[in-house]
Amino acid sequence: MTHHPLKAIVAVKRVIDYNVKVRVKADRSDVDLSNTKMSMNPFCEIAVEEAVRLKEAGLVGEIVVVSIGPKSCQEQIRSALALGADRGLQVECDTPVSPLDVAKILQKIQQEENADIFLLGKQSIDADNNQTGQMLAALLDCPQATCASRVHIEHNKAIVTREVDGGLLTVEMSLPAVITTDLRLNEPRFAALPKIMQAKRKPLAVKTLADLAIELTTDIELISVDSPTQRQAGVILSSVDELMSTLRNDPNVQMPKHDKEA
Amino acid sequence: MKTLIIAEHNHHALKADTLVTLGAAQQLGQPIDVFIAGHDMAQLSQDTATIAGIDRVLSWDHEALAMPFSEILAPVIANLRSQYSHILLASSSFGKDLAPRIAALCGVNAVSDVIDIISANQYKRPIYAGNAIATVQNNAACQVVTIRTSAFSAPSHETAASPAHIQALSIELPDTSVRFVEQTLSESSRPELNSAEIIVSGGRAVGSDANFSLIYDLADKLGAAVGASRAAVDAGYIANDLQVGQTGKVVAPSLYIAIGISGAIQHLAGMKDSKVIVAINNDPEAPIFSVADYGLVADLFETLPAMTARL
């Protein structure tokens, strides 16, 4: 039995840079992203890297990178192209999209692309939903492997090790399948300058929500955004003895019964 | 309307996360059904039925459910949606995997990681790694919600006056190509991170997996769970499922002892709701001290054995 080279779709999200501290707007309507450094969501970078490694291993023939957002998200598509993706698709949208919106858009794209593997970050570091991959798999009625720390493809099957509570769980599934990436799957590379230049010539198509006949969901409304309660710094103690006696006398702490001083 | 809780268990007992989810569900003030899927769990269903506050236990027993994959559970649970205004799951790796799949089949978004139930359709949830708290309103007819268990408590263990009705579900198994290959569970006699009263956590400064024995020694004297920062996990000192932080476990014990952890914002997001925080670090400028109730600027290799010896 011969296998056609697999096609992978990687979805990437433009988010506030990992190292930037967010500020909540004074009117509590949202966080303030004006003049903020934006980057590719770190989990999406891991997804791009994994797709590129599968291509380098000869398992994937083509990588299509998709991002949904205003024109500025083409920056993140170009980054993925510089890392080794083959072509890009921007779905133009100026308002925030929900996880179900993204899943529906990717489902529509799949009708044309017929990809074998979807690689997505397990969550974005802005909304922190951890929903999109699972929703896409539901809509495509295909298997899902979330929080992947190892991906192995053979004979049109994916064997994926997932990070779960208590340890690791390895599953096997037929393709097409949706895989979401966890931190320890790989360490993304940096794009070399010549590749960044080459990426400018790679194809990047633009579609609108109307092209895809998508209407955005409205079920979840953002009412307000607040800063979390800040903890106050406490006291610096001078010795282990002082620490232990302080803990024994703190009414919020239950030291164990076999405690020598009890 | 009613609330449906999707239970998580080890085939013998419900997980602590599910009991906490029951505690959260009670805030909605409406009848609660519990859905349990698994194999050979007649006893578990009966035990669940005796927990106070449960109206019905929906028990789906099938040999294929020894490993309950989301691909199998989601369509079955989504088919129950007309009976429920709320479907609640713990925000565990099981719940995070399953809830969005159910929600998508119901045609709705889920609300992830809820830390406060304000009303039947308003919730608070952390965004941006806990650096902002969003209040959201869910207008869906059937709301799928995951509960961050560190923010709620289990109901006090009461036995129901009369056990809840157990309804055995007989459902055709949905088709899936997912197959179990292997599971490696970290064996430990220590308490689980999610439910421990005390956690001793080590960071990169611990230096090696061998040195982590100092952390284990102290934890065992305290009856504590062991955690770690992402840096310690990435360095290979300790298993990944013990990582505390925004991308690992979010915990809120009564006492959290951070040892050799500088306190990156992603780590703080995973432990800053602990009642009492102790930080031990040789760098007085470490950000962990800004959230610690008690700090000790000291060498961990001297401090840890000294603490253990005093217990």
Side-chain angles (χ1 to χ4, degrees):
Chain A
M1 184 177 158
T2 57
H3 298 292
H4 66 100
L6 303 175
K7 185 194 275 191
I9 291 183
V10 184
V12 300
K13 187 175 186 183
R14 177 182 170 87
V15 298
I16 186 170
D17 187 83
Y18 191 68
N19 294 308
V20 176
K21 185 154 170 51
V22 298
R23 296 177 312 269
V24 172
K25 285 183 184 171
D27 67 359
R28 300 172 59 217
S29 61
D30 207 337
V31 298
D32 187 359
L33 294 180
S34 54
N35 304 316
T36 302
K37 185 183 176 200
M38 304 292 279
S39 299
M40 191 191 299
N41 178 43
F43 292 104
C44 303
E45 284 185 325
I46 295 171
V48 172
E49 174 67 32
E50 195 63 19
V52 172
R53 289 185 190 193
L54 289 171
K55 192 177 176 195
E56 287 168 346
L59 296 161
V60 161
E62 186 185 25
I63 303 169
V64 183
V65 57
V66 179
S67 193
I68 302 160
K71 190 154 195 253
S72 52
C73 78
Q74 289 191 7
E75 225 178 282
Q76 279 62 48
I77 295 177
R78 291 287 175 204
S79 303
L81 295 173
L83 291 166
D86 296 289
R87 61 188 167 88
L89 172 59
Q90 180 214 349
V91 178
E92 177 77 36
C93 180
D94 289 330
T95 51
V97 286
S98 73
L100 186 57
D101 293 326
V102 177
K104 285 178 172 174
I105 289 167
L106 294 173
Q107 181 194 20
K108 275 282 165 62
I109 291 170
Q110 173 68 345
Q111 288 172 3
E112 284 179 27
E113 295 284 351
N114 216 0
D116 303 285
I117 307 169
F118 277 88
L119 279 159
L120 279 69
K122 73 165 178 179
Q123 70 190 64
S124 59
I125 62 162
D126 50 3
D128 281 330
N129 278 307
N130 191 339
Q131 294 183 20
T132 303
Q134 297 89 308
M135 290 185 152
L136 173 63
L139 299 183
L140 296 176
D141 193 20
C142 78
Q144 67 189 44
T146 52
C147 305
S149 65
R150 183 172 170 273
V151 174
H152 181 73
I153 308 282
E154 89 184 10
H155 305 306
N156 276 337
K157 283 189 185 301
I159 298 121
V160 183
T161 300
R162 302 178 46 215
E163 299 202 355
V164 296
D165 291 340
L168 299 170
L169 171 64
T170 304
V171 292
E172 181 192 282
M173 51 189 55
S174 62
L175 303 179
V178 176
I179 298 169
T180 75
T181 59
D182 216 322
L183 285 174
R184 278 164 286 275
L185 179 58
N186 60 49
E187 265 191 55
R189 69 194 71 188
F190 293 97
L193 188 60
K195 299 239 167 150
I196 294 171
M197 301 311 289
Q198 283 166 21
K200 292 184 177 163
R201 295 191 299 273
K202 288 186 178 176
L204 197 170
V206 179
K207 289 195 177 192
T208 64
L209 294 178
D211 294 338
L212 298 169
I214 292 283
E215 264 187 62
L216 297 182
T217 55
T218 54
D219 52 359
I220 311 274
E221 253 177 86
L222 183 62
I223 305 290
S224 61
V225 174
D226 294 283
S227 294
T229 340
Q230 294 296 318
R231 272 189 100 97
Q232 298 301 312
V235 289
I236 297 290
L237 306 173
S238 59
S239 68
V240 170
D241 283 331
E242 193 186 0
L243 172 63
M244 298 307 275
S245 66
T246 305
L247 288 179
R248 282 188 189 102
N249 293 323
D250 189 312
N252 287 315
V253 176
Q254 290 283 316
M255 294 294 266
K257 300 249 182 314
H258 60 75
D259 189 332
K260 280 179 185 167
E261 314 256 321
Chain B
M1 282 300 267
K2 303 178 80 173
T3 301
L4 181 66
I5 293 175
I6 312 303
E8 199 174 339
H9 58 86
N10 60 9
H11 291 90
H12 303 293
L14 294 183
K15 293 223 171 136
D17 280 354
T18 296
L19 295 172
V20 174
T21 306
L22 175 64
Q26 287 176 342
Q27 295 187 14
L28 293 166
Q30 52 186 20
I32 297 167
D33 289 356
V34 174
F35 176 97
I36 311 184
H39 185 45
D40 269 342
M41 41 161 217
Q43 187 62 47
L44 173 62
S45 299
Q46 284 173 25
D47 293 348
T48 305
T50 63
I51 299 172
I54 296 175
D55 207 39
R56 269 194 318 169
V57 176
L58 309 183
S59 171
W60 187 25
D61 200 318
H62 192 293
E63 60 183 4
L65 296 172
M67 181 60 69
F69 289 122
S70 297
E71 289 84 344
I72 295 175
L73 299 184
V76 170
I77 296 164
N79 275 340
L80 300 169
R81 67 178 174 277
S82 60
Q83 302 172 43
Y84 298 99
S85 59
H86 296 75
I87 299 177
L88 261 58
L89 299 90
S91 188
S92 58
S93 53
F94 172 83
K96 285 176 179 173
D97 192 69
L98 177 56
R101 192 154 181 134
I102 298 170
L105 295 178
C106 297
V108 300
N109 282 290
V111 182
S112 303
D113 271 325
V114 163
I115 55 169
D116 189 11
I117 298 174
I118 301 168
S119 69
N121 66 355
Q122 287 202 0
Y123 308 91
K124 282 189 194 287
R125 60 176 301 265
I127 53 175
Y128 293 90
N131 289 303
I133 307 295
T135 301
V136 295
Q137 178 165 313
N138 188 345
N139 300 315
C142 181
Q143 305 183 33
V144 180
V145 174
T146 65
I147 296 295
R148 179 170 282 187
T149 51
S150 61
F152 294 89
S153 327
S156 53
H157 288 288
E158 271 178 63
T159 308
S162 62
H165 174 64
I166 300 175
Q167 184 181 338
L169 300 178
S170 170
I171 304 166
E172 199 184 333
L173 202 68
D175 206 24
T176 177
S177 72
V178 181
R179 200 178 64 78
F180 171 81
V181 177
E182 173 183 38
Q183 186 162 29
T184 10
L185 294 180
S186 2
E187 293 296 329
S188 171
S189 51
R190 296 186 187 94
E192 282 195 38
L193 268 178
N194 287 346
S195 48
E197 279 295 303
I198 304 179
I199 294 174
V200 183
S201 226
R204 197 203 315 260
V206 175
S208 71
D209 50 348
N211 289 348
F212 247 83
S213 63
L214 296 171
I215 302 273
Y216 297 132
D217 290 346
L218 176 61
D220 291 344
K221 278 285 176 75
L222 288 167
V226 168
S229 70
R230 182 182 162 190
V233 172
D234 285 355
Y237 302 164
I238 188 165
N240 61 273
D241 61 298
L242 298 180
Q243 179 189 325
V244 172
Q246 176 63 15
T247 56
K249 297 270 192 313
V250 178
V251 298
S254 20
L255 175 60
Y256 188 92
I257 306 180
I259 294 165
I261 292 177
S262 62
I265 200 159
Q266 289 78 13
H267 185 77
L268 301 186
M271 45 64 81
K272 67 180 168 49
D273 293 326
S274 307
K275 271 202 200 80
V276 174
I277 297 174
V278 172
I280 298 167
N281 202 300
N282 60 9
D283 174 11
E285 302 298 321
I288 190 80
F289 288 119
S290 69
V291 299
D293 300 281
Y294 306 119
L296 201 55
V297 181
D299 183 315
L300 67 93
F301 296 104
E302 287 166 20
T303 309
L304 277 174
M307 286 175 77
T308 306
R310 282 167 177 76
L311 285 164

